PDB file of all heavy atoms in Angstrom:
ATOM      1  N   CYS A   1     -26.191  63.195  89.891  1.00 96.00           N
ATOM      2  CA  CYS A   1     -26.511  62.605  91.188  1.00 96.00           C
ATOM      3  C   CYS A   1     -27.928  62.035  91.187  1.00 96.00           C
ATOM      4  O   CYS A   1     -28.169  60.937  91.688  1.00 96.00           O
ATOM      5  CB  CYS A   1     -26.353  63.661  92.286  1.00 96.00           C
ATOM      6  SG  CYS A   1     -26.563  63.017  93.952  1.00 96.00           S
ATOM      7  N   MET A   2     -28.848  62.770  90.580  1.00 93.00           N
ATOM      8  CA  MET A   2     -30.231  62.303  90.516  1.00 93.00           C
ATOM      9  C   MET A   2     -30.321  60.983  89.754  1.00 93.00           C
ATOM     10  O   MET A   2     -30.997  60.044  90.191  1.00 93.00           O
ATOM     11  CB  MET A   2     -31.116  63.358  89.845  1.00 93.00           C
ATOM     12  CG  MET A   2     -32.560  62.919  89.670  1.00 93.00           C
ATOM     13  SD  MET A   2     -33.524  64.131  88.760  1.00 93.00           S
ATOM     14  CE  MET A   2     -34.038  65.176  90.099  1.00 93.00           C
ATOM     15  N   ARG A   3     -29.628  60.888  88.623  1.00 93.00           N
ATOM     16  CA  ARG A   3     -29.673  59.644  87.839  1.00 93.00           C
ATOM     17  C   ARG A   3     -29.007  58.491  88.594  1.00 93.00           C
ATOM     18  O   ARG A   3     -29.484  57.356  88.526  1.00 93.00           O
ATOM     19  CB  ARG A   3     -28.996  59.829  86.483  1.00 93.00           C
ATOM     20  CG  ARG A   3     -29.826  60.586  85.495  1.00 93.00           C
ATOM     21  CD  ARG A   3     -31.066  59.773  85.077  1.00 93.00           C
ATOM     22  NE  ARG A   3     -31.832  60.525  84.096  1.00 93.00           N
ATOM     23  CZ  ARG A   3     -32.948  61.177  84.362  1.00 93.00           C
ATOM     24  NH1 ARG A   3     -33.467  61.161  85.574  1.00 93.00           N
ATOM     25  NH2 ARG A   3     -33.570  61.836  83.416  1.00 93.00           N
ATOM     26  N   LEU A   4     -27.924  58.780  89.310  1.00 95.00           N
ATOM     27  CA  LEU A   4     -27.299  57.720  90.123  1.00 95.00           C
ATOM     28  C   LEU A   4     -28.298  57.188  91.140  1.00 95.00           C
ATOM     29  O   LEU A   4     -28.425  55.984  91.336  1.00 95.00           O
ATOM     30  CB  LEU A   4     -26.043  58.257  90.827  1.00 95.00           C
ATOM     31  CG  LEU A   4     -24.856  58.611  89.938  1.00 95.00           C
ATOM     32  CD1 LEU A   4     -23.758  59.274  90.761  1.00 95.00           C
ATOM     33  CD2 LEU A   4     -24.318  57.392  89.213  1.00 95.00           C
ATOM     34  N   MET A   5     -29.032  58.095  91.773  1.00 93.00           N
ATOM     35  CA  MET A   5     -30.051  57.697  92.746  1.00 93.00           C
ATOM     36  C   MET A   5     -31.133  56.863  92.077  1.00 93.00           C
ATOM     37  O   MET A   5     -31.580  55.863  92.632  1.00 93.00           O
ATOM     38  CB  MET A   5     -30.653  58.957  93.394  1.00 93.00           C
ATOM     39  CG  MET A   5     -31.751  58.693  94.414  1.00 93.00           C
ATOM     40  SD  MET A   5     -33.433  58.546  93.733  1.00 93.00           S
ATOM     41  CE  MET A   5     -33.677  60.139  92.983  1.00 93.00           C
ATOM     42  N   HIS A   6     -31.522  57.243  90.850  1.00 90.00           N
ATOM     43  CA  HIS A   6     -32.545  56.472  90.131  1.00 90.00           C
ATOM     44  C   HIS A   6     -32.089  55.043  89.855  1.00 90.00           C
ATOM     45  O   HIS A   6     -32.908  54.147  89.667  1.00 90.00           O
ATOM     46  CB  HIS A   6     -32.913  57.149  88.803  1.00 90.00           C
ATOM     47  CG  HIS A   6     -33.684  58.413  88.977  1.00 90.00           C
ATOM     48  ND1 HIS A   6     -33.645  59.432  88.063  1.00 90.00           N
ATOM     49  CD2 HIS A   6     -34.513  58.837  89.970  1.00 90.00           C
ATOM     50  CE1 HIS A   6     -34.411  60.420  88.471  1.00 90.00           C
ATOM     51  NE2 HIS A   6     -34.961  60.073  89.632  1.00 90.00           N
ATOM     52  N   MET A   7     -30.778  54.833  89.825  1.00 90.00           N
ATOM     53  CA  MET A   7     -30.235  53.490  89.585  1.00 90.00           C
ATOM     54  C   MET A   7     -29.989  52.737  90.887  1.00 90.00           C
ATOM     55  O   MET A   7     -29.482  51.626  90.880  1.00 90.00           O
ATOM     56  CB  MET A   7     -28.934  53.569  88.777  1.00 90.00           C
ATOM     57  CG  MET A   7     -29.150  54.099  87.383  1.00 90.00           C
ATOM     58  SD  MET A   7     -27.693  53.995  86.308  1.00 90.00           S
ATOM     59  CE  MET A   7     -26.438  54.789  87.268  1.00 90.00           C
ATOM     60  N   GLY A   8     -30.343  53.347  92.014  1.00 91.00           N
ATOM     61  CA  GLY A   8     -30.188  52.677  93.300  1.00 91.00           C
ATOM     62  C   GLY A   8     -28.839  52.896  93.962  1.00 91.00           C
ATOM     63  O   GLY A   8     -28.516  52.234  94.947  1.00 91.00           O
ATOM     64  N   ILE A   9     -28.056  53.831  93.456  1.00 94.00           N
ATOM     65  CA  ILE A   9     -26.750  54.142  94.038  1.00 94.00           C
ATOM     66  C   ILE A   9     -26.939  55.212  95.109  1.00 94.00           C
ATOM     67  O   ILE A   9     -27.673  56.179  94.905  1.00 94.00           O
ATOM     68  CB  ILE A   9     -25.772  54.626  92.938  1.00 94.00           C
ATOM     69  CG1 ILE A   9     -25.506  53.474  91.964  1.00 94.00           C
ATOM     70  CG2 ILE A   9     -24.480  55.150  93.533  1.00 94.00           C
ATOM     71  CD1 ILE A   9     -24.735  53.877  90.725  1.00 94.00           C
ATOM     72  N   HIS A  10     -26.269  55.049  96.241  1.00 96.00           N
ATOM     73  CA  HIS A  10     -26.337  56.048  97.310  1.00 96.00           C
ATOM     74  C   HIS A  10     -25.479  57.232  96.874  1.00 96.00           C
ATOM     75  O   HIS A  10     -24.255  57.172  96.923  1.00 96.00           O
ATOM     76  CB  HIS A  10     -25.851  55.477  98.638  1.00 96.00           C
ATOM     77  CG  HIS A  10     -26.734  54.395  99.158  1.00 96.00           C
ATOM     78  ND1 HIS A  10     -27.957  54.657  99.732  1.00 96.00           N
ATOM     79  CD2 HIS A  10     -26.600  53.062  99.152  1.00 96.00           C
ATOM     80  CE1 HIS A  10     -28.534  53.518 100.069  1.00 96.00           C
ATOM     81  NE2 HIS A  10     -27.732  52.532  99.724  1.00 96.00           N
ATOM     82  N   ALA A  11     -26.135  58.303  96.438  1.00 97.00           N
ATOM     83  CA  ALA A  11     -25.438  59.470  95.908  1.00 97.00           C
ATOM     84  C   ALA A  11     -25.954  60.731  96.583  1.00 97.00           C
ATOM     85  O   ALA A  11     -27.151  60.838  96.890  1.00 97.00           O
ATOM     86  CB  ALA A  11     -25.639  59.547  94.399  1.00 97.00           C
ATOM     87  N   HIS A  12     -25.031  61.663  96.807  1.00 97.00           N
ATOM     88  CA  HIS A  12     -25.357  62.908  97.515  1.00 97.00           C
ATOM     89  C   HIS A  12     -24.677  64.094  96.849  1.00 97.00           C
ATOM     90  O   HIS A  12     -23.566  63.970  96.342  1.00 97.00           O
ATOM     91  CB  HIS A  12     -24.874  62.835  98.967  1.00 97.00           C
ATOM     92  CG  HIS A  12     -25.420  61.666  99.716  1.00 97.00           C
ATOM     93  ND1 HIS A  12     -26.657  61.676 100.315  1.00 97.00           N
ATOM     94  CD2 HIS A  12     -24.901  60.441  99.943  1.00 97.00           C
ATOM     95  CE1 HIS A  12     -26.865  60.500 100.895  1.00 97.00           C
ATOM     96  NE2 HIS A  12     -25.820  59.730 100.676  1.00 97.00           N
ATOM     97  N   VAL A  13     -25.325  65.242  96.916  1.00 97.00           N
ATOM     98  CA  VAL A  13     -24.730  66.500  96.482  1.00 97.00           C
ATOM     99  C   VAL A  13     -24.217  67.207  97.731  1.00 97.00           C
ATOM    100  O   VAL A  13     -24.981  67.403  98.692  1.00 97.00           O
ATOM    101  CB  VAL A  13     -25.767  67.385  95.755  1.00 97.00           C
ATOM    102  CG1 VAL A  13     -25.176  68.755  95.433  1.00 97.00           C
ATOM    103  CG2 VAL A  13     -26.262  66.697  94.488  1.00 97.00           C
ATOM    104  N   LEU A  14     -22.941  67.572  97.729  1.00 96.00           N
ATOM    105  CA  LEU A  14     -22.382  68.273  98.888  1.00 96.00           C
ATOM    106  C   LEU A  14     -23.112  69.599  99.092  1.00 96.00           C
ATOM    107  O   LEU A  14     -23.437  70.291  98.140  1.00 96.00           O
ATOM    108  CB  LEU A  14     -20.894  68.533  98.694  1.00 96.00           C
ATOM    109  CG  LEU A  14     -19.988  67.314  98.774  1.00 96.00           C
ATOM    110  CD1 LEU A  14     -18.529  67.716  98.652  1.00 96.00           C
ATOM    111  CD2 LEU A  14     -20.193  66.540 100.065  1.00 96.00           C
ATOM    112  N   GLY A  15     -23.373  69.910 100.349  1.00 92.00           N
ATOM    113  CA  GLY A  15     -24.035  71.158 100.696  1.00 92.00           C
ATOM    114  C   GLY A  15     -25.530  71.029 100.911  1.00 92.00           C
ATOM    115  O   GLY A  15     -26.156  71.943 101.446  1.00 92.00           O
ATOM    116  N   GLU A  16     -26.116  69.918 100.491  1.00 92.00           N
ATOM    117  CA  GLU A  16     -27.553  69.703 100.710  1.00 92.00           C
ATOM    118  C   GLU A  16     -27.770  69.243 102.157  1.00 92.00           C
ATOM    119  O   GLU A  16     -26.908  68.601 102.746  1.00 92.00           O
ATOM    120  CB  GLU A  16     -28.098  68.658  99.735  1.00 92.00           C
ATOM    121  CG  GLU A  16     -27.980  69.047  98.274  1.00 92.00           C
ATOM    122  CD  GLU A  16     -28.877  70.206  97.884  1.00 92.00           C
ATOM    123  OE1 GLU A  16     -29.987  70.325  98.438  1.00 92.00           O
ATOM    124  OE2 GLU A  16     -28.452  71.003  97.029  1.00 92.00           O
ATOM    125  N   THR A  17     -28.917  69.538 102.699  1.00 90.00           N
ATOM    126  CA  THR A  17     -29.181  69.203 104.102  1.00 90.00           C
ATOM    127  C   THR A  17     -29.256  67.695 104.347  1.00 90.00           C
ATOM    128  O   THR A  17     -29.102  67.245 105.478  1.00 90.00           O
ATOM    129  CB  THR A  17     -30.493  69.857 104.591  1.00 90.00           C
ATOM    130  OG1 THR A  17     -31.558  69.436 103.745  1.00 90.00           O
ATOM    131  CG2 THR A  17     -30.364  71.358 104.600  1.00 90.00           C
ATOM    132  N   THR A  18     -29.491  66.911 103.311  1.00 90.00           N
ATOM    133  CA  THR A  18     -29.609  65.460 103.478  1.00 90.00           C
ATOM    134  C   THR A  18     -28.311  64.720 103.140  1.00 90.00           C
ATOM    135  O   THR A  18     -28.305  63.491 103.086  1.00 90.00           O
ATOM    136  CB  THR A  18     -30.734  64.908 102.586  1.00 90.00           C
ATOM    137  OG1 THR A  18     -30.451  65.254 101.235  1.00 90.00           O
ATOM    138  CG2 THR A  18     -32.087  65.458 103.008  1.00 90.00           C
ATOM    139  N   THR A  19     -27.224  65.459 102.949  1.00 92.00           N
ATOM    140  CA  THR A  19     -25.947  64.826 102.595  1.00 92.00           C
ATOM    141  C   THR A  19     -25.432  63.989 103.746  1.00 92.00           C
ATOM    142  O   THR A  19     -25.385  64.432 104.893  1.00 92.00           O
ATOM    143  CB  THR A  19     -24.903  65.893 102.199  1.00 92.00           C
ATOM    144  OG1 THR A  19     -25.427  66.634 101.107  1.00 92.00           O
ATOM    145  CG2 THR A  19     -23.588  65.265 101.804  1.00 92.00           C
ATOM    146  N   SER A  20     -25.026  62.783 103.423  1.00 91.00           N
ATOM    147  CA  SER A  20     -24.536  61.817 104.399  1.00 91.00           C
ATOM    148  C   SER A  20     -23.073  62.096 104.769  1.00 91.00           C
ATOM    149  O   SER A  20     -22.421  62.970 104.196  1.00 91.00           O
ATOM    150  CB  SER A  20     -24.659  60.416 103.782  1.00 91.00           C
ATOM    151  OG  SER A  20     -24.267  59.428 104.692  1.00 91.00           O
ATOM    152  N   THR A  21     -22.535  61.299 105.677  1.00 94.00           N
ATOM    153  CA  THR A  21     -21.136  61.383 106.096  1.00 94.00           C
ATOM    154  C   THR A  21     -20.235  60.777 105.029  1.00 94.00           C
ATOM    155  O   THR A  21     -20.508  59.695 104.521  1.00 94.00           O
ATOM    156  CB  THR A  21     -20.945  60.586 107.412  1.00 94.00           C
ATOM    157  OG1 THR A  21     -21.835  61.103 108.386  1.00 94.00           O
ATOM    158  CG2 THR A  21     -19.520  60.663 107.907  1.00 94.00           C
ATOM    159  N   PHE A  22     -19.161  61.471 104.704  1.00 96.00           N
ATOM    160  CA  PHE A  22     -18.172  60.968 103.753  1.00 96.00           C
ATOM    161  C   PHE A  22     -17.186  60.083 104.512  1.00 96.00           C
ATOM    162  O   PHE A  22     -16.655  60.481 105.549  1.00 96.00           O
ATOM    163  CB  PHE A  22     -17.434  62.144 103.087  1.00 96.00           C
ATOM    164  CG  PHE A  22     -16.473  61.729 102.014  1.00 96.00           C
ATOM    165  CD1 PHE A  22     -16.929  61.452 100.735  1.00 96.00           C
ATOM    166  CD2 PHE A  22     -15.117  61.607 102.275  1.00 96.00           C
ATOM    167  CE1 PHE A  22     -16.044  61.062  99.727  1.00 96.00           C
ATOM    168  CE2 PHE A  22     -14.230  61.226 101.284  1.00 96.00           C
ATOM    169  CZ  PHE A  22     -14.692  60.953 100.005  1.00 96.00           C
ATOM    170  N   GLU A  23     -16.958  58.860 103.989  1.00 97.00           N
ATOM    171  CA  GLU A  23     -16.090  57.894 104.658  1.00 97.00           C
ATOM    172  C   GLU A  23     -15.034  57.357 103.701  1.00 97.00           C
ATOM    173  O   GLU A  23     -15.072  57.630 102.498  1.00 97.00           O
ATOM    174  CB  GLU A  23     -16.954  56.755 105.208  1.00 97.00           C
ATOM    175  CG  GLU A  23     -17.989  57.261 106.209  1.00 97.00           C
ATOM    176  CD  GLU A  23     -19.007  56.202 106.594  1.00 97.00           C
ATOM    177  OE1 GLU A  23     -19.754  55.746 105.707  1.00 97.00           O
ATOM    178  OE2 GLU A  23     -19.025  55.834 107.778  1.00 97.00           O
ATOM    179  N   LYS A  24     -14.116  56.561 104.233  1.00 97.00           N
ATOM    180  CA  LYS A  24     -12.971  56.061 103.457  1.00 97.00           C
ATOM    181  C   LYS A  24     -13.349  55.293 102.199  1.00 97.00           C
ATOM    182  O   LYS A  24     -12.634  55.340 101.215  1.00 97.00           O
ATOM    183  CB  LYS A  24     -12.079  55.178 104.332  1.00 97.00           C
ATOM    184  CG  LYS A  24     -11.270  55.934 105.326  1.00 97.00           C
ATOM    185  CD  LYS A  24     -10.347  55.024 106.101  1.00 97.00           C
ATOM    186  CE  LYS A  24      -9.552  55.848 107.090  1.00 97.00           C
ATOM    187  NZ  LYS A  24      -8.585  55.055 107.820  1.00 97.00           N
ATOM    188  N   GLU A  25     -14.452  54.597 102.213  1.00 97.00           N
ATOM    189  CA  GLU A  25     -14.833  53.780 101.047  1.00 97.00           C
ATOM    190  C   GLU A  25     -15.648  54.569 100.017  1.00 97.00           C
ATOM    191  O   GLU A  25     -16.107  54.017  99.026  1.00 97.00           O
ATOM    192  CB  GLU A  25     -15.596  52.531 101.478  1.00 97.00           C
ATOM    193  CG  GLU A  25     -16.932  52.781 102.126  1.00 97.00           C
ATOM    194  CD  GLU A  25     -16.870  53.087 103.626  1.00 97.00           C
ATOM    195  OE1 GLU A  25     -15.771  53.099 104.221  1.00 97.00           O
ATOM    196  OE2 GLU A  25     -17.938  53.328 104.207  1.00 97.00           O
ATOM    197  N   ASP A  26     -15.802  55.868 100.243  1.00 98.00           N
ATOM    198  CA  ASP A  26     -16.645  56.694  99.386  1.00 98.00           C
ATOM    199  C   ASP A  26     -15.857  57.387  98.275  1.00 98.00           C
ATOM    200  O   ASP A  26     -14.629  57.471  98.316  1.00 98.00           O
ATOM    201  CB  ASP A  26     -17.392  57.726 100.227  1.00 98.00           C
ATOM    202  CG  ASP A  26     -18.354  57.072 101.205  1.00 98.00           C
ATOM    203  OD1 ASP A  26     -18.782  55.925 100.956  1.00 98.00           O
ATOM    204  OD2 ASP A  26     -18.676  57.703 102.232  1.00 98.00           O
ATOM    205  N   LEU A  27     -16.603  57.914  97.299  1.00 98.00           N
ATOM    206  CA  LEU A  27     -16.038  58.596  96.143  1.00 98.00           C
ATOM    207  C   LEU A  27     -16.594  60.014  96.071  1.00 98.00           C
ATOM    208  O   LEU A  27     -17.803  60.213  96.130  1.00 98.00           O
ATOM    209  CB  LEU A  27     -16.410  57.844  94.853  1.00 98.00           C
ATOM    210  CG  LEU A  27     -16.074  58.519  93.522  1.00 98.00           C
ATOM    211  CD1 LEU A  27     -14.560  58.652  93.344  1.00 98.00           C
ATOM    212  CD2 LEU A  27     -16.692  57.732  92.369  1.00 98.00           C
ATOM    213  N   LEU A  28     -15.706  60.983  95.946  1.00 98.00           N
ATOM    214  CA  LEU A  28     -16.078  62.378  95.747  1.00 98.00           C
ATOM    215  C   LEU A  28     -15.749  62.757  94.309  1.00 98.00           C
ATOM    216  O   LEU A  28     -14.601  62.629  93.875  1.00 98.00           O
ATOM    217  CB  LEU A  28     -15.307  63.293  96.707  1.00 98.00           C
ATOM    218  CG  LEU A  28     -15.448  64.801  96.488  1.00 98.00           C
ATOM    219  CD1 LEU A  28     -16.902  65.249  96.626  1.00 98.00           C
ATOM    220  CD2 LEU A  28     -14.552  65.556  97.463  1.00 98.00           C
ATOM    221  N   ILE A  29     -16.766  63.191  93.566  1.00 98.00           N
ATOM    222  CA  ILE A  29     -16.585  63.634  92.183  1.00 98.00           C
ATOM    223  C   ILE A  29     -16.728  65.153  92.163  1.00 98.00           C
ATOM    224  O   ILE A  29     -17.789  65.681  92.506  1.00 98.00           O
ATOM    225  CB  ILE A  29     -17.618  62.991  91.237  1.00 98.00           C
ATOM    226  CG1 ILE A  29     -17.526  61.457  91.296  1.00 98.00           C
ATOM    227  CG2 ILE A  29     -17.423  63.501  89.812  1.00 98.00           C
ATOM    228  CD1 ILE A  29     -18.644  60.744  90.543  1.00 98.00           C
ATOM    229  N   LEU A  30     -15.645  65.828  91.763  1.00 98.00           N
ATOM    230  CA  LEU A  30     -15.641  67.286  91.704  1.00 98.00           C
ATOM    231  C   LEU A  30     -15.649  67.748  90.252  1.00 98.00           C
ATOM    232  O   LEU A  30     -14.789  67.341  89.464  1.00 98.00           O
ATOM    233  CB  LEU A  30     -14.407  67.832  92.426  1.00 98.00           C
ATOM    234  CG  LEU A  30     -14.348  67.513  93.916  1.00 98.00           C
ATOM    235  CD1 LEU A  30     -13.006  67.914  94.505  1.00 98.00           C
ATOM    236  CD2 LEU A  30     -15.492  68.189  94.657  1.00 98.00           C
ATOM    237  N   CYS A  31     -16.608  68.579  89.901  1.00 96.00           N
ATOM    238  CA  CYS A  31     -16.766  69.095  88.538  1.00 96.00           C
ATOM    239  C   CYS A  31     -16.322  70.554  88.525  1.00 96.00           C
ATOM    240  O   CYS A  31     -17.001  71.412  89.093  1.00 96.00           O
ATOM    241  CB  CYS A  31     -18.223  68.998  88.109  1.00 96.00           C
ATOM    242  SG  CYS A  31     -18.905  67.334  88.253  1.00 96.00           S
ATOM    243  N   THR A  32     -15.182  70.812  87.911  1.00 94.00           N
ATOM    244  CA  THR A  32     -14.634  72.156  87.923  1.00 94.00           C
ATOM    245  C   THR A  32     -13.799  72.416  86.681  1.00 94.00           C
ATOM    246  O   THR A  32     -12.794  71.741  86.468  1.00 94.00           O
ATOM    247  CB  THR A  32     -13.797  72.416  89.200  1.00 94.00           C
ATOM    248  OG1 THR A  32     -13.090  73.650  89.071  1.00 94.00           O
ATOM    249  CG2 THR A  32     -12.833  71.290  89.503  1.00 94.00           C
ATOM    250  N   GLY A  33     -14.237  73.367  85.875  1.00 89.00           N
ATOM    251  CA  GLY A  33     -13.473  73.691  84.676  1.00 89.00           C
ATOM    252  C   GLY A  33     -12.052  74.099  85.008  1.00 89.00           C
ATOM    253  O   GLY A  33     -11.093  73.523  84.511  1.00 89.00           O
ATOM    254  N   SER A  34     -11.899  75.060  85.890  1.00 90.00           N
ATOM    255  CA  SER A  34     -10.574  75.588  86.229  1.00 90.00           C
ATOM    256  C   SER A  34      -9.788  74.686  87.164  1.00 90.00           C
ATOM    257  O   SER A  34      -8.558  74.699  87.157  1.00 90.00           O
ATOM    258  CB  SER A  34     -10.716  76.961  86.889  1.00 90.00           C
ATOM    259  OG  SER A  34     -11.290  76.829  88.194  1.00 90.00           O
ATOM    260  N   GLY A  35     -10.494  73.943  88.001  1.00 93.00           N
ATOM    261  CA  GLY A  35      -9.810  73.140  89.017  1.00 93.00           C
ATOM    262  C   GLY A  35      -9.302  73.970  90.178  1.00 93.00           C
ATOM    263  O   GLY A  35      -8.551  73.483  91.016  1.00 93.00           O
ATOM    264  N   GLU A  36      -9.724  75.218  90.244  1.00 93.00           N
ATOM    265  CA  GLU A  36      -9.230  76.125  91.287  1.00 93.00           C
ATOM    266  C   GLU A  36     -10.344  76.742  92.137  1.00 93.00           C
ATOM    267  O   GLU A  36     -10.071  77.596  92.968  1.00 93.00           O
ATOM    268  CB  GLU A  36      -8.397  77.251  90.652  1.00 93.00           C
ATOM    269  CG  GLU A  36      -7.187  76.787  89.861  1.00 93.00           C
ATOM    270  CD  GLU A  36      -6.140  76.047  90.697  1.00 93.00           C
ATOM    271  OE1 GLU A  36      -6.120  76.205  91.942  1.00 93.00           O
ATOM    272  OE2 GLU A  36      -5.350  75.289  90.101  1.00 93.00           O
ATOM    273  N   THR A  37     -11.583  76.314  91.949  1.00 94.00           N
ATOM    274  CA  THR A  37     -12.700  76.865  92.722  1.00 94.00           C
ATOM    275  C   THR A  37     -12.472  76.593  94.205  1.00 94.00           C
ATOM    276  O   THR A  37     -12.297  75.442  94.612  1.00 94.00           O
ATOM    277  CB  THR A  37     -14.033  76.243  92.247  1.00 94.00           C
ATOM    278  OG1 THR A  37     -14.137  76.421  90.836  1.00 94.00           O
ATOM    279  CG2 THR A  37     -15.216  76.877  92.953  1.00 94.00           C
ATOM    280  N   GLY A  38     -12.465  77.651  95.010  1.00 95.00           N
ATOM    281  CA  GLY A  38     -12.087  77.561  96.423  1.00 95.00           C
ATOM    282  C   GLY A  38     -12.832  76.508  97.218  1.00 95.00           C
ATOM    283  O   GLY A  38     -12.224  75.722  97.949  1.00 95.00           O
ATOM    284  N   THR A  39     -14.161  76.467  97.108  1.00 96.00           N
ATOM    285  CA  THR A  39     -14.923  75.493  97.889  1.00 96.00           C
ATOM    286  C   THR A  39     -14.577  74.071  97.465  1.00 96.00           C
ATOM    287  O   THR A  39     -14.519  73.162  98.304  1.00 96.00           O
ATOM    288  CB  THR A  39     -16.444  75.710  97.729  1.00 96.00           C
ATOM    289  OG1 THR A  39     -16.776  75.713  96.338  1.00 96.00           O
ATOM    290  CG2 THR A  39     -16.903  76.999  98.374  1.00 96.00           C
TER     291      THR A  39
END
């Protein structure tokens, strides 16, 4: 996320106080080995 921001891309980490609103044109990238993490 930090590197995306360095390239001028509007990027946010979920759970941070500065996270923006997620909308239809947005992309959520989930990193999960098991794919079953509850959150």
